[in-house]
Amino acid sequence: MRSARCRSVFDTGAAIGLLGGMIGLGGADFRLPLLIGLFGFAALSAVILNKALSLVVVLVALPAHLAAVPAAEVAARWPAAVNLLAGGPLRFSGSSFLMR
């Protein structure tokens, strides 16, 4: 039973990664319904886990994006970059605050 459950989790994660990668999203729109419906998470717990996973996706993708875009381009748009970078940790800390 445990092996089948692990396989289900792996297959679901792979499908979300494939769909998210094909359309350029981190997969958050696909993860939340599956966390609640397929894996039985409570709504608040699913939202918090989804936010944490989104933060991980951003942190993993950041080095590749920084390598692909020249530093001068990023520096020219620093307010937007700071806003985007601050959004992930702030959402995660806000979700943590909700759990208290």
Side-chain angles (χ1 to χ4, degrees):
M1 180 67 178
R2 181 180 165 98
S3 176
R5 180 84 167 161
C6 288
R7 181 66 187 187
S8 173
V9 169
F10 178 83
D11 290 345
T12 303
I16 289 171
L18 181 66
L19 285 171
M22 285 173 35
I23 63 173
L25 298 175
D29 295 335
F30 304 116
R31 280 192 309 258
L32 195 55
L34 293 174
L35 287 171
I36 294 171
L38 184 63
F39 297 113
F41 279 82
L44 183 58
S45 297
V47 168
I48 292 169
L49 179 58
N50 194 40
K51 296 288 186 193
L53 289 172
S54 292
L55 178 61
V56 170
V57 169
V58 168
L59 293 175
V60 168
L62 190 59
H65 289 132
L66 290 176
V69 178
E73 290 286 328
V74 176
R77 294 167 179 83
W78 71 267
V82 169
N83 188 17
L84 290 171
L85 291 173
L90 290 176
R91 286 182 299 184
F92 182 69
S93 62
S95 298
S96 298
F97 178 74
L98 287 175
M99 284 300 292
R100 295 183 192 160

